[in-house]
Amino acid sequence: MQEIFIKDEYIKLQQALQLADVCSSGAEAKYAILDGKIRVNGEVETRRGKKLRAGDEFESGGQIFRVMIQ
């Protein structure tokens, strides 16, 4: 499991995917989410604007990332 660190209260899923280097662009993140390839806290998430807070986990391609406050 890898950790990504944020400074604010939350980060949107699309931004988190870019921060974690899962997706190289917003467009790539958008389609990964819409295609059902991303799980948040164990469930498929199709909303790009889903807010992730400290302790939330998201998964892509078998990699799991946990959101942490810096």
Side-chain angles (χ1 to χ4, degrees):
M1 179 179 311
Q2 296 179 14
E3 296 175 341
I4 64 164
F5 292 90
I6 61 173
K7 295 179 182 179
D8 298 320
E9 178 184 343
Y10 67 86
I11 186 170
K12 292 183 180 179
L13 178 57
Q14 182 172 343
Q15 295 168 326
L17 292 172
Q18 290 178 269
L19 182 62
D21 287 328
V22 171
C23 297
S24 59
S25 70
E28 184 181 347
K30 172 184 174 179
Y31 290 113
I33 295 166
L34 292 176
D35 289 345
K37 296 179 179 177
I38 309 299
R39 292 181 166 271
V40 174
N41 297 324
E43 302 202 11
V44 173
E45 181 59 65
T46 57
R47 296 173 291 168
R48 300 185 291 167
K50 168 73 175 161
K51 293 178 181 177
L52 303 178
R53 292 176 163 72
D56 284 339
E57 296 178 0
F58 63 96
E59 180 181 349
S60 174
Q63 290 185 297
I64 300 173
F65 301 87
R66 177 175 286 152
V67 177
M68 306 291 287
I69 296 283
Q70 198 170 39

